[in-house]
């Protein structure tokens, strides 16, 4: 597996990489490129789903994003809006597959468990499962259970999306590592504009579960767990 690992805050972010994403996916599908893992920190961006774009409140949501310094991207995949910034880590997995559609639902479970384990390995009490009021809700979201004064609280840390084409699939994972406050603020305004349910308290960062966590340690843990699961 080829690794494209970009450390630090990288100019361009999700939007600049979107065309590149489609190019890589086509190259992998036509076997002109090996299976590829791309890891980077994005610029401040709110990624909407196609259903959000059709929502009557979409224009208001876009305005809220821009007013708060977040770029806007509409993905050709399902799900609802998710916000990212340089305190997040995006992991894009491109995999050749003769029958890419088979196993699409299973991939959500597989990667949910994989990233939960990577977070556990860096001292975060992570688990798989939807929590009430989370953004872009999903059965295989990854959340953290907090301790100390916030014992009993759960915060969502990981959101996922995927796209399937003939010959390959792309699975994208966004992990909130640090500085959840701006993400909470923009997500609250976006979901209000779209008329979607949201409990802002469910939006958090991995460092709230482990304040000593470093971005590079999580990157290393992800690559270790990938290797343990046979992705090489």
């Amino acid at each position: 597996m080829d690794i494209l690992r970009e450390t630090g805050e990288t100019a361009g972010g999700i939007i600049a990489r979107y065309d590149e994403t489609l190019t890589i996916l086509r190259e992998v599908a036509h076997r002109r490129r090996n299976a590829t893992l791309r890891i980077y920190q994005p610029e401040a961006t709110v990624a909407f789903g196609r259903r959000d774009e059709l929502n009557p409140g979409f224009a208001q949501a876009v305005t809220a994003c821009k007013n708060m310094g977040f770029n806007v991207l509409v993905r050709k995949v399902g799900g609802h809006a998710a916000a990212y910034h340089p305190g997040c880590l995006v992991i894009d997995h491109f995999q050749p597959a003769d029958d890419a559609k088979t196993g699409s639902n299973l991939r959500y479970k597989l990667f949910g468990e994989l990233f939960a384990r990577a977070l556990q390995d860096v001292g975060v009490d992570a688990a798989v499962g939807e929590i009430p009021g989370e953004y872009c809700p999903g059965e295989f979201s990854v959340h953290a259970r907090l301790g100390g004064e916030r014992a009993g609280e759960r915060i969502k840390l990981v959101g996922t999306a995927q796209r399937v084409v003939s010959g390959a699939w792309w699975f994208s994972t966004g992990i909130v590592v640090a500085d959840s406050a701006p993400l909470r603020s923009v997500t609250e305004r976006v979901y209000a504009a779209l008329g979607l349910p949201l409990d802002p308290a469910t939006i958090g960062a991995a460092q709230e579960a482990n304040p000593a966590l470093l971005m590079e340690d999580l990157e290393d843990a992800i690559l270790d767990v990938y290797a343990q699961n046979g992705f090489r």
Side-chain angles (χ1 to χ4, degrees), residues 5 7 39 89 118 121-122 213-228:
R5 190 180 187 189
T7 58
I39 304 175
L89 199 62
D121 288 346
V122 292
L213 175 62
L214 299 177
M215 186 76 71
E216 53 265 36
D217 290 340
L218 179 57
E219 291 181 34
D220 289 341
I222 289 168
L223 293 178
D224 287 346
V225 171
Y226 254 80
Q228 293 164 17

Side-chain angles (χ1 to χ4, degrees), residues 115-137:
F115 288 107
R117 192 192 317 169
L119 285 161
Q120 291 163 7
D121 288 346
V122 292
V124 175
D125 186 8
V128 177
E130 182 177 341
I131 55 177
E134 70 178 19
Y135 66 91
C136 194

Side-chain angles (χ1 to χ4, degrees), residues 4-5 15-17 21 26 31 83 108 111 131 135 152 186 204:
L4 305 177
R5 190 180 187 189
I15 294 175
R17 284 175 174 77
T21 292
R26 286 193 293 266
R31 307 303 190 266
Y108 285 109
F111 285 107
I131 55 177
Y135 66 91
V186 72

Side-chain angles (χ1 to χ4, degrees), residues 50-149:
R50 176 61 177 158
R51 286 179 292 173
D52 295 328
E53 188 179 31
L54 301 175
N55 188 299
F58 179 68
Q60 183 181 348
V62 168
T63 298
C65 293
K66 293 180 177 178
N67 288 343
M68 299 182 73
F70 280 77
N71 297 314
V72 171
L73 171 69
V74 179
R75 302 171 296 188
K76 301 293 185 182
V77 292
H80 288 295
Y84 303 97
H85 64 13
C88 300
L89 199 62
V90 174
I91 303 95
D92 287 330
H93 182 152
F94 304 88
Q95 183 71 35
D98 292 334
D99 183 4
K101 290 185 179 180
T102 298
S104 59
N105 289 330
L106 182 60
R107 281 193 286 273
Y108 285 109
K109 180 177 186 294
L110 168 68
F111 285 107
E113 293 173 349
L114 186 152
F115 288 107
R117 192 192 317 169
L119 285 161
Q120 291 163 7
D121 288 346
V122 292
V124 175
D125 186 8
V128 177
E130 182 177 341
I131 55 177
E134 70 178 19
Y135 66 91
C136 194
E139 180 183 359
F140 301 111
S141 297
V142 178
H143 63 268
R145 292 171 288 224
L146 303 180
E149 295 180 356

Side-chain angles (χ1 to χ4, degrees), residues 199-214:
D199 177 0
T202 62
I203 300 171
Q207 286 184 352
E208 294 172 41
N210 176 11
L213 175 62
L214 299 177

